[in-house]
Coordinates of all heavy atoms in Angstrom, one line a residue:
Chain A
K77 N 66.2 -4.9 21.1 CA 66.7 -5.5 22.3 C 65.7 -6.6 22.8 O 66.1 -7.8 23.1 CB 66.9 -4.5 23.4 CG 67.5 -5.0 24.7 CD 67.7 -3.9 25.7 CE 68.2 -4.5 27.0 NZ 68.1 -3.4 28.1
E78 N 64.5 -6.2 22.9 CA 63.5 -7.1 23.4 C 62.2 -6.9 22.6 O 61.9 -5.9 22.1 CB 63.1 -6.8 24.9 CG 64.1 -7.6 25.8 CD 63.5 -7.4 27.3 OE1 62.5 -8.2 27.6 OE2 64.1 -6.6 27.9
V79 N 61.4 -8.1 22.5 CA 60.1 -8.0 21.8 C 59.1 -8.6 22.7 O 59.3 -9.6 23.4 CB 60.2 -8.9 20.4 CG1 58.9 -8.7 19.6 CG2 61.4 -8.5 19.6
G80 N 58.0 -7.9 22.7 CA 56.8 -8.5 23.4 C 55.6 -8.6 22.5 O 55.4 -7.7 21.6
F81 N 54.8 -9.6 22.7 CA 53.5 -9.7 22.0 C 52.5 -10.3 22.8 O 52.7 -11.2 23.7 CB 53.7 -10.5 20.7 CG 53.1 -11.8 20.6 CD1 51.8 -11.9 20.1 CD2 53.7 -12.9 21.0 CE1 51.1 -13.1 19.9 CE2 53.1 -14.2 20.9 CZ 51.8 -14.3 20.3
Q82 N 51.2 -9.8 22.7 CA 50.1 -10.4 23.3 C 49.0 -10.5 22.2 O 48.9 -9.6 21.4 CB 49.5 -9.6 24.5 CG 50.6 -9.2 25.6 CD 51.5 -8.1 25.1 OE1 51.1 -7.1 24.4 NE2 52.8 -8.2 25.3
G83 N 48.2 -11.5 22.3 CA 47.1 -11.6 21.3 C 46.1 -12.7 21.6 O 46.2 -13.4 22.5
R84 N 45.1 -12.6 20.7 CA 44.1 -13.7 20.8 C 43.7 -13.9 19.4 O 43.6 -13.1 18.5 CB 42.8 -13.1 21.4 CG 43.0 -12.8 22.9 CD 41.7 -12.8 23.6 NE 40.7 -11.9 23.1 CZ 39.4 -11.7 23.5 NH1 39.0 -12.5 24.5 NH2 38.7 -10.8 23.1
G85 N 43.5 -15.2 19.1 CA 43.1 -15.6 17.8 C 43.5 -17.0 17.3 O 43.8 -17.8 18.2
C86 N 43.5 -17.2 16.0 CA 43.6 -18.6 15.6 C 45.1 -19.0 15.7 O 46.0 -18.2 15.9 CB 43.2 -18.8 14.2 SG 44.2 -17.9 13.0
S87 N 45.4 -20.3 15.5 CA 46.7 -20.8 15.6 C 47.6 -20.1 14.6 O 48.8 -19.8 15.0 CB 46.7 -22.3 15.3 OG 46.2 -22.6 14.1
I88 N 47.3 -19.8 13.4 CA 48.2 -19.2 12.5 C 48.5 -17.8 12.8 O 49.7 -17.5 12.8 CB 47.5 -19.3 11.0 CG1 47.1 -20.7 10.7 CG2 48.5 -18.7 10.0 CD1 48.2 -21.8 10.7
S89 N 47.5 -17.0 13.2 CA 47.9 -15.6 13.6 C 48.7 -15.6 14.9 O 49.7 -14.8 14.9 CB 46.6 -14.9 13.8 OG 45.9 -15.2 15.1
Q90 N 48.5 -16.4 15.8 CA 49.2 -16.4 17.1 C 50.6 -17.0 16.9 O 51.6 -16.5 17.5 CB 48.4 -16.9 18.2 CG 47.0 -16.3 18.4 CD 47.1 -14.8 18.6 OE1 47.8 -14.3 19.6 NE2 46.5 -14.0 17.8
A91 N 50.7 -18.1 16.2 CA 51.9 -18.8 16.0 C 52.9 -17.9 15.3 O 54.1 -17.8 15.5 CB 51.8 -20.1 15.4
S92 N 52.4 -17.3 14.2 CA 53.2 -16.5 13.3 C 53.7 -15.2 14.1 O 54.9 -14.8 14.0 CB 52.6 -16.1 12.0 OG 51.3 -15.4 12.4
A93 N 52.9 -14.7 15.0 CA 53.4 -13.6 15.8 C 54.4 -14.0 16.7 O 55.5 -13.4 16.9 CB 52.2 -13.0 16.6
S94 N 54.2 -15.3 17.4 CA 55.2 -15.7 18.3 C 56.5 -16.0 17.6 O 57.6 -15.7 18.1 CB 54.6 -17.0 18.9 OG 55.7 -17.6 19.7
M95 N 56.4 -16.6 16.4 CA 57.7 -16.9 15.7 C 58.4 -15.6 15.3 O 59.6 -15.5 15.3 CB 57.4 -17.7 14.5 CG 56.9 -19.1 14.9 SD 56.1 -20.0 13.6 CE 57.5 -20.7 12.8
L96 N 57.6 -14.6 14.9 CA 58.2 -13.4 14.5 C 59.0 -12.7 15.6 O 60.1 -12.2 15.4 CB 57.1 -12.4 14.0 CG 57.5 -10.9 13.7 CD1 58.5 -10.9 12.5 CD2 56.3 -10.1 13.4
T97 N 58.5 -12.8 16.8 CA 59.2 -12.2 18.0 C 60.6 -12.7 18.1 O 61.5 -12.1 18.5 CB 58.4 -12.4 19.3 OG1 58.3 -13.7 19.6 CG2 57.0 -11.7 19.3
E98 N 60.7 -14.1 17.9 CA 62.0 -14.7 18.0 C 62.9 -14.2 16.9 O 64.1 -14.2 17.1 CB 61.8 -16.2 17.9 CG 61.1 -16.8 19.2 CD 61.3 -18.3 19.3 OE1 61.2 -19.0 18.3 OE2 61.5 -18.7 20.4
E99 N 62.4 -14.0 15.7 CA 63.3 -13.7 14.6 C 63.7 -12.1 14.7 O 64.7 -11.8 14.0 CB 62.6 -13.9 13.3 CG 62.3 -15.3 12.9 CD 63.7 -16.1 12.7 OE1 64.7 -15.5 12.4 OE2 63.7 -17.3 13.1
L100 N 63.0 -11.4 15.4 CA 63.2 -9.9 15.4 C 64.5 -9.5 16.3 O 65.1 -8.5 16.0 CB 62.0 -9.1 15.9 CG 60.9 -9.0 14.8 CD1 59.6 -8.3 15.4 CD2 61.4 -8.2 13.5
K101 N 64.7 -10.3 17.3 CA 65.7 -9.9 18.2 C 67.1 -9.7 17.6 O 67.5 -10.4 16.7 CB 65.9 -10.9 19.3 CG 64.9 -10.7 20.5 CD 65.0 -11.7 21.6 CE 63.7 -11.7 22.3 NZ 63.5 -12.9 23.2
S102 N 67.7 -8.6 18.0 CA 69.1 -8.1 17.6 C 69.0 -7.6 16.1 O 70.1 -7.2 15.5 CB 70.1 -9.1 17.8 OG 70.0 -10.2 16.9

Side-chain angles (χ1 to χ4, degrees):
Chain A
K77 185 179 176 193
E78 272 189 79
V79 186
F81 112 90
Q82 305 78 39
R84 294 203 298 176
C86 70
S87 57
I88 305 303
S89 72
Q90 302 305 301
S92 56
S94 172
M95 293 165 82
L96 174 64
T97 63
E98 291 197 316
E99 291 298 329
L100 283 176
K101 272 180 204 167
S102 75

